[in-house]
Amino acid sequence: MNRDELYRLDLNLLLAFDALMAESSVTRAAERMSIGQPAMSASLARLRKFFDDPLLVRQGRSLAPTNRALELVAPIREALDGLESTIRAGREFDPTTSSRTFTVMASDYVLLMFLGPLLSDLRREAPHVRFEIFPVTRDAAPSVVRSQLDLLIYPDELVEDEPLVRSRMLFTDRLVCAVARDHPDVGDVMTEHQFRTLPSVSFSSSSTATISDMRLQQVGYERPLAIEAQSFVVQPLLLPGTTMMALLPERLARYFESRISLRLMEPPVELSPLREAAFWSARADADPAHRWLRRRMVEAAARMESIHQSE
């Protein structure tokens, strides 16, 4: 391919390709780019002609990328990210006037205990900045690499090292035992026998192993499972009126302790704490808006740790 051929491939076509690969749908790609479906269909036709490949083919009721399309996804995404990063790096960021939208993926525990209070504070500093918060999915880390997420907040040990991903530790949290305050069998101290045998409410993640499961495996424990909840926050809500127990992050447990009549106790074995970190694409390092958000998150995490240590 020579330079003259590249003149036929304008930036809008590359953006259309990126949207089509992300959505695997002409209709959804058109909505993503805020254009009509006929215009997106025309862009797909031009892309097919330029690359001499169908790019998307019918597979049942949906469209699937061809092998050639899959080969093109990473370099085109990288080119677009590089261009976007270069443009943003040359601009100043004013949180008081910016209407930037940040996409963040985090558990409901992180949303309740960390992001909620932080975003409330940021609202005063950046009234027009928007945040889209998504639950953690199996493709969380790849989404960071592809710059489809601004930030992932997740336990650091559950994210594999990736050269295109940067990270920063935010905060830690101890794991504590929680039962109903009127539990008929548990006194002021959780015994090792009770810890091993009480039916438990557990957080179940479809994306990866959970920290609670990992900690129990590390000390060689298996506890009888009564309920698997697809949410951190739901776990304590299921305890009142039952003889079950849950292993919870301490901040979450104390948040609910007085609200729903829980009793908290130390585990009878030593368990390593939960460590929540922020992850982002290396391409976002120079983005002034991204740097602003990371700085505010680190400051908020430091305040939260300081308050927790003083209690």
Side-chain angles (χ1 to χ4, degrees), residues 64-88:
T66 64
N67 289 335
R68 176 59 174 152
L70 292 174
E71 292 173 355
L72 293 166
V73 167
I76 289 179
R77 178 72 259 174
E78 187 171 354
L80 292 173
D81 283 344
L83 179 60
E84 182 179 12
S85 177
T86 300
I87 292 172
R88 284 180 170 170

Side-chain angles (χ1 to χ4, degrees), residues 238-299:
L238 297 172
L239 294 175
T242 76
T243 58
M244 298 185 294
M245 68 157 286
L247 192 59
L248 302 174
E250 184 179 17
R251 287 186 178 89
L252 181 66
R254 296 207 178 280
Y255 177 87
F256 282 108
E257 183 179 14
S258 60
R259 288 174 170 85
I260 59 171
S261 189
L262 295 183
R263 184 140 39 97
L264 309 184
M265 290 153 289
E266 293 293 322
V269 291
E270 186 174 349
L271 301 174
S272 301
L274 168 68
R275 301 187 304 272
E276 294 282 354
F279 300 86
W280 66 93
S281 169
R283 302 183 190 106
D285 272 342
D287 180 354
H290 206 282
R291 290 204 306 267
W292 166 81
L293 178 58
R294 298 198 307 264
R295 183 169 63 253
R296 291 294 179 266
M297 282 192 171
V298 170
E299 291 169 353

Side-chain angles (χ1 to χ4, degrees), residues 9 19 68-70 125 141 149 151 163 181-182 211 253 264 272 297:
L9 191 67
R68 176 59 174 152
L70 292 174
E125 181 182 358
L149 284 175
L151 282 166
R181 184 168 294 171
D182 58 355
I211 289 296
L264 309 184
S272 301
M297 282 192 171

Side-chain angles (χ1 to χ4, degrees), residues 15-16 19 23 26-37 39-40:
L15 292 170
E23 301 293 345
V26 174
T27 301
R28 291 196 300 272
E31 293 173 352
R32 183 181 180 129
M33 291 189 64
S34 300
I35 62 175
Q37 184 173 338
M40 182 57 72

